[in-house]
Amino acid sequence: MYHPRELYPSLGTGYRLGHPQPGADSSFPPALAEGYRYPDLDTSKLDCFLSGIETAPHTLSAPPPLPLLPPSLGPETAPPPPEALHSLPGVSLSLENQELWKEFSAVGTEMIITKAGRRMFPACRVSVTGLDPEARYLFLLDVVPVDGARYRWQGQHWEPSGKAEPRLPDRVYIHPDSPATGAHWMRQPVSFHRVKLTNSTLDPHGHLILHSMHKYQPRIHLVRATQLCSQHWGGVASFRFPETTFISVTAYQNPRITQLKIAANPFAKGFRENGRNCKRERDARVKRKLQGPEPVATEACGSADTPGGPCDSTLGGDIRDSDPEQAPVPREAASTPAPLCGGPSAEAYLLHPAAFHGVPSHLPARNPSFAEAPDPGRPAPYSAAFLELQPGPGGSAYHTAPSVTPFAPHLIQGGPFPLPYPGPGGYLDMGSKPMY
DNA sequence: TCTCCTAACACTTTTGAATTGT
DNA sequence: AACAATTCAAAAGTGTTAGGAG
């Protein structure tokens, strides 16, 4: 069976988004449809990657703008129901590890971002229903700022501390199984645990770039793919879950979050109370170091097999044993936009999903002077095809920031596309144990 | 002085190749 | 010979911490 990962093991999975053009409109008039085309794009270059996705493509109807994010989604506010942009009627998404997310959200989720890129924990893991089993879809994830503020930790709580930094180029992470059939996606939950966040604006690996001390929210997009590089696609559905809002940090600020992470993340097992890397044991090690060589390894911290935090229960079975009572989160009623000839392409959506959703006007404008990092190590054959996305709909803050540096459309997850996949077995690999 | 960031560290889990058994 | 199960080492993912930059 066709799969880009098999055909191109070195391909990347995340797609950098192109800058929009200034002057975006908040509606989405049919006249703008042409704006989503890329006159200078040699689409045939991409056909090798996503060709033959759907034999009978049909023109996408114009999707309505994504409802605006609330200005604040802190733990103190009651989370509104997930909202979705929809031109895929009947399709719904539910957050599989919702309870875990809620635990973190109640405290105020923080996500570490590092120069090298750090995974999200908890990761976004969703199950999808209502897809056409035969059709092919792309699963995407991006992270957008929630508001226009920078935050600081005040010992007990987070509070706004000035204006947000200028927005960075949007990047989208494409699930490595994409494109896959609806049956494939519905077979088991879809995990985005390999997504990495970075604070390096020159990140060459294609990780999602965030500012530290800012509030963000992940979004998941489902694109019915026809041909990625044509102007035809089969529709799009975008979802967000209020409990997945987080503040990006370079070091944890809230000790309660640290404890939750240690308790829930298997990789942090060593820091649990009974782990060999727990504080007590670390202190003891330091003491012994100062006093002299260690005679014998100690079991002071107890067995490592002692049951740990919530994440233990997700190891090797969380996906399969997902709680059946976690019914799909209700979403907004699917809208049926009027047909639109020459509508936006799947490619355009990949390049700039925000343009299809609209972006809250209170969000900071993208930094117009931001220069995209070159990718010295990856002069991919596609790198020459630089594109600029035409303005999207939806009162986007983008339109206030003129595009200076266009992005290569294939700069997926940084650097010219293609880039390495995270490796076999990721995400929907039935053969590997899901971590989260 | 304070806030934020970085890199090194020790620990854990994951992954895949090699080996062994059926 | 083919397949499955097991073993093992390397790679990758964790939070902690000391030190540095602004």
Side-chain angles (χ1 to χ4, degrees):
Chain A
M1 168 180 157
Y2 164 84
H3 194 293
R5 186 170 61 202
E6 296 160 7
L7 292 177
Y8 300 98
S10 64
L11 293 191
T13 58
Y15 291 71
R16 177 181 302 165
L17 301 177
H19 275 312
Q21 292 294 312
D25 193 359
S26 60
S27 52
F28 186 74
L32 270 183
E34 280 296 303
Y36 290 92
R37 300 185 61 195
Y38 300 87
D40 54 349
L41 170 66
D42 180 2
T43 57
S44 62
K45 289 180 177 176
L46 284 181
D47 286 344
C48 59
F49 178 58
L50 291 172
S51 62
I53 294 174
E54 189 167 287
T55 53
H58 52 282
T59 302
L60 172 73
S61 301
L66 188 69
L68 299 185
L69 295 169
S72 173
L73 287 172
E76 66 280 359
T77 60
E83 302 170 52
L85 173 155
H86 244 298
S87 58
L88 292 174
V91 174
S92 70
L93 230 63
S94 65
L95 189 60
E96 278 291 307
N97 48 353
Q98 189 179 40
E99 291 309 310
L100 187 59
W101 274 105
K102 280 182 173 172
E103 266 191 72
F104 280 87
S105 182
V107 181
T109 312
E110 297 172 25
M111 293 288 179
I112 292 278
I113 56 176
T114 67
K115 190 177 176 182
R118 195 78 145 187
R119 286 187 176 180
M120 292 173 63
F121 187 88
C124 290
R125 200 180 70 221
V126 299
S127 56
V128 58
T129 59
L131 299 178
D132 177 352
E134 303 296 324
R136 291 181 181 272
Y137 299 85
L138 307 167
F139 247 109
L140 321 174
L141 182 145
D142 68 353
V143 176
V144 292
V146 167
D147 53 28
R150 180 188 175 89
Y151 288 79
R152 68 187 301 183
W153 177 252
Q154 289 295 69
Q156 297 290 326
H157 62 280
W158 287 97
E159 66 179 32
S161 165
K163 265 182 70 178
E165 299 287 323
R167 290 192 67 192
L168 295 162
D170 289 331
R171 284 179 174 179
V172 170
Y173 179 86
I174 298 188
H175 194 287
D177 279 15
S178 304
T181 62
H184 175 83
W185 294 120
M186 291 188 292
R187 193 174 302 140
Q188 64 177 30
V190 182
S191 174
F192 288 88
H193 68 271
R194 287 186 198 271
V195 171
K196 282 189 174 182
L197 310 177
T198 182
N199 58 346
S200 171
T201 55
L202 300 179
D203 170 68
H205 305 104
H207 304 324
L208 306 182
I209 305 175
L210 308 181
H211 284 301
S212 183
M213 302 295 179
H214 286 60
K215 192 178 281 188
Y216 290 96
Q217 183 174 45
R219 294 186 308 190
I220 293 173
H221 313 280
L222 192 54
V223 178
R224 178 162 174 163
T226 55
Q227 291 177 321
L228 179 64
C229 295
S230 76
Q231 58 179 328
H232 300 288
W233 64 351
V236 58
S238 294
F239 301 84
R240 59 189 180 84
F241 301 93
E243 56 267 47
T244 59
T245 301
F246 63 87
I247 291 180
S248 53
V249 296
T250 55
Y252 289 125
Q253 306 295 309
N254 186 349
R256 293 178 62 195
I257 282 294
T258 308
Q259 289 309 309
L260 269 179
K261 297 256 185 176
I262 290 173
N265 193 329
F267 280 106
K269 210 175 188 175
F271 295 97
R272 293 174 189 168
E273 272 308 304
N274 52 13
R276 294 190 59 195
N277 206 19
C278 65
K279 183 161 170 43
R280 183 169 24 135
E281 187 66 5
R282 285 198 313 274
D283 292 345
R285 264 204 311 272
V286 171
K287 214 173 194 177
R288 285 193 295 269
K289 260 187 183 175
L290 294 175
Q291 289 174 350
E294 275 181 67
V296 169
T298 173
E299 295 294 327
C301 272
S303 163
D305 295 330
T306 307
C311 201
D312 281 342
S313 65
T314 72
L315 283 170
D318 189 23
I319 284 182
R320 283 186 188 83
D321 302 338
S322 62
D323 186 358
E325 294 185 3
Q326 279 189 18
V329 179
R331 56 176 168 74
E332 277 196 344
S335 56
T336 50
L340 174 66
C341 290
S345 67
E347 168 199 2
Y349 188 87
L350 287 177
L351 291 168
H352 194 52
F356 291 77
H357 303 150
V359 173
S361 58
H362 61 277
L363 296 185
R366 184 189 309 282
N367 184 354
S369 63
F370 179 86
E372 188 61 18
D375 188 10
R378 206 177 283 279
Y382 306 134
S383 60
F386 280 82
L387 306 175
E388 291 188 32
L389 186 66
Q390 292 300 313
S396 162
Y398 297 146
H399 71 272
T400 64
S403 168
V404 173
T405 309
F407 295 111
H410 324 90
L411 295 185
I412 296 166
Q413 282 252 356
F417 171 49
L419 285 173
Y421 270 95
Y427 303 87
L428 283 182
D429 189 330
M430 306 277 281
S432 66
K433 289 192 298 184
M435 267 189 67
Y436 314 122

Short mmCIF file of all heavy atoms in Angstrom, two decimals, chain A residues 118 196 252 258 267 271 282 436, chain C residues 11-18:
data_model
loop_
_atom_site.label_atom_id
_atom_site.label_comp_id
_atom_site.label_asym_id
_atom_site.label_seq_id
_atom_site.Cartn_x
_atom_site.Cartn_y
_atom_site.Cartn_z
N ARG A 118 11.08 19.76 22.26
CA ARG A 118 10.59 18.93 23.36
C ARG A 118 9.21 18.44 23.01
O ARG A 118 8.38 19.19 22.51
CB ARG A 118 10.54 19.77 24.63
CG ARG A 118 10.40 18.95 25.90
CD ARG A 118 11.72 18.33 26.31
NE ARG A 118 11.84 18.28 27.77
CZ ARG A 118 12.94 17.93 28.41
NH1 ARG A 118 14.03 17.63 27.75
NH2 ARG A 118 12.98 17.89 29.71
N LYS A 196 7.00 18.04 18.38
CA LYS A 196 7.98 18.69 19.26
C LYS A 196 7.83 20.20 19.19
O LYS A 196 7.57 20.77 18.13
CB LYS A 196 9.40 18.28 18.86
CG LYS A 196 9.80 16.91 19.35
CD LYS A 196 11.27 16.67 19.10
CE LYS A 196 11.72 15.37 19.72
NZ LYS A 196 13.16 15.16 19.52
N TYR A 252 9.90 24.52 34.20
CA TYR A 252 8.62 24.51 34.88
C TYR A 252 8.59 25.57 35.97
O TYR A 252 9.56 25.76 36.72
CB TYR A 252 8.33 23.14 35.47
CG TYR A 252 8.03 22.11 34.41
CD1 TYR A 252 8.76 20.93 34.34
CD2 TYR A 252 7.03 22.33 33.48
CE1 TYR A 252 8.50 19.99 33.37
CE2 TYR A 252 6.77 21.39 32.49
CZ TYR A 252 7.50 20.23 32.44
OH TYR A 252 7.24 19.32 31.47
N THR A 258 5.03 20.18 37.74
CA THR A 258 6.19 19.29 37.74
C THR A 258 5.81 17.94 38.33
O THR A 258 6.13 16.89 37.78
CB THR A 258 7.33 19.90 38.57
OG1 THR A 258 7.57 21.23 38.09
CG2 THR A 258 8.59 19.08 38.44
N PHE A 267 8.70 8.55 31.15
CA PHE A 267 10.11 8.90 31.03
C PHE A 267 10.62 9.60 32.29
O PHE A 267 11.83 9.70 32.49
CB PHE A 267 10.34 9.80 29.82
CG PHE A 267 10.38 9.04 28.53
CD1 PHE A 267 9.33 9.08 27.65
CD2 PHE A 267 11.48 8.26 28.22
CE1 PHE A 267 9.37 8.38 26.46
CE2 PHE A 267 11.53 7.54 27.03
CZ PHE A 267 10.47 7.60 26.15
N PHE A 271 12.12 10.17 38.61
CA PHE A 271 12.02 11.31 39.53
C PHE A 271 10.89 11.12 40.55
O PHE A 271 10.66 11.99 41.38
CB PHE A 271 11.79 12.60 38.74
CG PHE A 271 12.95 12.96 37.88
CD1 PHE A 271 12.97 12.63 36.53
CD2 PHE A 271 14.06 13.60 38.41
CE1 PHE A 271 14.04 12.95 35.73
CE2 PHE A 271 15.15 13.92 37.61
CZ PHE A 271 15.14 13.59 36.27
N ARG A 282 18.85 11.73 45.01
CA ARG A 282 19.83 12.62 44.41
C ARG A 282 20.66 13.30 45.48
O ARG A 282 21.88 13.41 45.38
CB ARG A 282 19.11 13.67 43.55
CG ARG A 282 18.57 13.17 42.24
CD ARG A 282 18.30 14.34 41.30
NE ARG A 282 17.57 15.43 41.94
CZ ARG A 282 16.26 15.50 42.04
NH1 ARG A 282 15.52 14.55 41.56
NH2 ARG A 282 15.68 16.54 42.63
N TYR A 436 1.13 7.31 25.13
CA TYR A 436 0.22 8.22 25.83
C TYR A 436 -1.21 7.96 25.41
O TYR A 436 -1.45 7.66 24.30
CB TYR A 436 0.61 9.68 25.54
CG TYR A 436 2.08 9.92 25.68
CD1 TYR A 436 2.83 10.42 24.63
CD2 TYR A 436 2.73 9.59 26.86
CE1 TYR A 436 4.19 10.64 24.76
CE2 TYR A 436 4.08 9.79 26.99
CZ TYR A 436 4.81 10.30 25.94
OH TYR A 436 6.15 10.50 26.08
P DA C 11 23.69 5.43 19.02
OP1 DA C 11 24.19 5.77 17.67
OP2 DA C 11 24.41 5.88 20.23
"O5'" DA C 11 22.17 5.94 19.12
"C5'" DA C 11 21.19 5.28 18.33
"C4'" DA C 11 19.81 5.80 18.70
"O4'" DA C 11 19.39 5.20 19.94
"C3'" DA C 11 19.73 7.31 18.88
"O3'" DA C 11 18.62 7.80 18.16
"C2'" DA C 11 19.57 7.49 20.40
"C1'" DA C 11 18.89 6.20 20.80
N9 DA C 11 19.14 5.76 22.18
C8 DA C 11 20.36 5.63 22.79
N7 DA C 11 20.28 5.20 24.02
C5 DA C 11 18.91 5.03 24.23
C6 DA C 11 18.17 4.59 25.35
N6 DA C 11 18.73 4.23 26.50
N1 DA C 11 16.83 4.53 25.21
C2 DA C 11 16.29 4.89 24.05
N3 DA C 11 16.88 5.32 22.94
C4 DA C 11 18.20 5.36 23.09
P DA C 12 18.39 9.37 18.08
OP1 DA C 12 17.83 9.65 16.75
OP2 DA C 12 19.58 10.09 18.56
"O5'" DA C 12 17.23 9.57 19.16
"C5'" DA C 12 16.09 8.72 19.09
"C4'" DA C 12 15.22 8.94 20.31
"O4'" DA C 12 15.85 8.33 21.45
"C3'" DA C 12 14.99 10.41 20.67
"O3'" DA C 12 13.60 10.63 20.80
"C2'" DA C 12 15.72 10.60 22.00
"C1'" DA C 12 15.69 9.19 22.57
N9 DA C 12 16.74 8.86 23.52
C8 DA C 12 18.09 9.04 23.36
N7 DA C 12 18.80 8.66 24.40
C5 DA C 12 17.84 8.19 25.29
C6 DA C 12 17.94 7.65 26.59
N6 DA C 12 19.09 7.48 27.22
N1 DA C 12 16.79 7.29 27.20
C2 DA C 12 15.63 7.47 26.55
N3 DA C 12 15.42 7.97 25.34
C4 DA C 12 16.57 8.31 24.76
P DG C 13 13.07 12.07 21.11
OP1 DG C 13 11.87 12.26 20.27
OP2 DG C 13 14.18 13.04 21.10
"O5'" DG C 13 12.58 11.92 22.63
"C5'" DG C 13 11.64 10.90 22.91
"C4'" DG C 13 11.33 10.90 24.40
"O4'" DG C 13 12.50 10.45 25.12
"C3'" DG C 13 10.95 12.26 24.97
"O3'" DG C 13 9.86 12.06 25.84
"C2'" DG C 13 12.21 12.69 25.72
"C1'" DG C 13 12.79 11.36 26.16
N9 DG C 13 14.24 11.31 26.35
C8 DG C 13 15.21 11.62 25.45
N7 DG C 13 16.43 11.45 25.91
C5 DG C 13 16.24 10.99 27.20
C6 DG C 13 17.18 10.62 28.20
O6 DG C 13 18.41 10.64 28.13
N1 DG C 13 16.56 10.20 29.36
C2 DG C 13 15.21 10.13 29.55
N2 DG C 13 14.79 9.70 30.73
N3 DG C 13 14.31 10.47 28.63
C4 DG C 13 14.89 10.88 27.49
P DT C 14 9.14 13.23 26.52
OP1 DT C 14 7.70 12.99 26.38
OP2 DT C 14 9.71 14.52 26.08
"O5'" DT C 14 9.50 12.95 28.03
"C5'" DT C 14 10.06 13.96 28.75
"C4'" DT C 14 10.40 13.47 30.13
"O4'" DT C 14 11.56 12.64 30.08
"C3'" DT C 14 10.73 14.62 31.03
"O3'" DT C 14 9.57 15.00 31.73
"C2'" DT C 14 11.79 14.06 31.95
"C1'" DT C 14 12.45 12.95 31.13
N1 DT C 14 13.78 13.28 30.56
C2 DT C 14 14.90 13.05 31.32
O2 DT C 14 14.85 12.60 32.45
N3 DT C 14 16.07 13.35 30.71
C4 DT C 14 16.24 13.85 29.43
O4 DT C 14 17.36 14.09 28.98
C5 DT C 14 15.03 14.08 28.69
C7 DT C 14 15.11 14.63 27.30
C6 DT C 14 13.87 13.79 29.28
P DG C 15 9.34 16.47 32.07
OP1 DG C 15 7.89 16.62 32.37
OP2 DG C 15 9.99 17.32 31.06
"O5'" DG C 15 10.16 16.62 33.43
"C5'" DG C 15 9.83 15.78 34.53
"C4'" DG C 15 10.91 15.88 35.59
"O4'" DG C 15 12.18 15.54 35.00
"C3'" DG C 15 11.07 17.27 36.19
"O3'" DG C 15 11.37 17.13 37.57
"C2'" DG C 15 12.24 17.87 35.41
"C1'" DG C 15 13.08 16.63 35.11
N9 DG C 15 13.83 16.71 33.86
C8 DG C 15 13.35 17.03 32.62
N7 DG C 15 14.26 17.01 31.68
C5 DG C 15 15.42 16.65 32.35
C6 DG C 15 16.74 16.48 31.86
O6 DG C 15 17.16 16.60 30.69
N1 DG C 15 17.62 16.13 32.88
C2 DG C 15 17.27 15.95 34.18
N2 DG C 15 18.26 15.61 35.02
N3 DG C 15 16.05 16.11 34.65
C4 DG C 15 15.18 16.46 33.69
P DT C 16 11.73 18.40 38.48
OP1 DT C 16 11.25 18.09 39.83
OP2 DT C 16 11.31 19.63 37.79
"O5'" DT C 16 13.32 18.36 38.51
"C5'" DT C 16 13.97 17.19 39.00
"C4'" DT C 16 15.45 17.45 39.16
"O4'" DT C 16 16.07 17.51 37.85
"C3'" DT C 16 15.80 18.76 39.88
"O3'" DT C 16 16.78 18.48 40.86
"C2'" DT C 16 16.33 19.66 38.76
"C1'" DT C 16 16.90 18.64 37.77
N1 DT C 16 16.89 19.06 36.33
C2 DT C 16 18.05 19.00 35.61
O2 DT C 16 19.10 18.63 36.07
N3 DT C 16 17.92 19.38 34.29
C4 DT C 16 16.78 19.81 33.66
O4 DT C 16 16.79 20.13 32.49
C5 DT C 16 15.60 19.86 34.48
C7 DT C 16 14.31 20.31 33.89
C6 DT C 16 15.71 19.48 35.76
P DT C 17 17.09 19.58 41.98
OP1 DT C 17 17.42 18.83 43.21
OP2 DT C 17 16.01 20.59 41.98
"O5'" DT C 17 18.40 20.26 41.43
"C5'" DT C 17 19.48 19.42 41.00
"C4'" DT C 17 20.49 20.27 40.25
"O4'" DT C 17 20.07 20.44 38.89
"C3'" DT C 17 20.69 21.68 40.83
"O3'" DT C 17 22.04 21.82 41.23
"C2'" DT C 17 20.33 22.61 39.68
"C1'" DT C 17 20.47 21.71 38.46
N1 DT C 17 19.61 22.07 37.30
C2 DT C 17 20.15 22.08 36.04
O2 DT C 17 21.32 21.82 35.82
N3 DT C 17 19.29 22.43 35.05
C4 DT C 17 17.95 22.76 35.19
O4 DT C 17 17.26 23.05 34.22
C5 DT C 17 17.44 22.72 36.54
C7 DT C 17 16.00 23.05 36.80
C6 DT C 17 18.29 22.39 37.52
P DA C 18 22.48 22.96 42.19
OP1 DA C 18 22.99 22.31 43.41
OP2 DA C 18 21.44 24.00 42.27
"O5'" DA C 18 23.71 23.57 41.38
"C5'" DA C 18 24.54 22.68 40.63
"C4'" DA C 18 25.22 23.43 39.52
"O4'" DA C 18 24.28 23.63 38.42
"C3'" DA C 18 25.72 24.83 39.90
"O3'" DA C 18 27.00 25.04 39.34
"C2'" DA C 18 24.68 25.78 39.31
"C1'" DA C 18 24.21 25.01 38.09
N9 DA C 18 22.83 25.27 37.69
C8 DA C 18 21.74 25.44 38.50
N7 DA C 18 20.62 25.65 37.85
C5 DA C 18 20.99 25.62 36.52
C6 DA C 18 20.27 25.77 35.33
N6 DA C 18 18.96 26.00 35.28
N1 DA C 18 20.95 25.68 34.16
C2 DA C 18 22.26 25.45 34.20
N3 DA C 18 23.06 25.28 35.26
C4 DA C 18 22.35 25.38 36.40
#
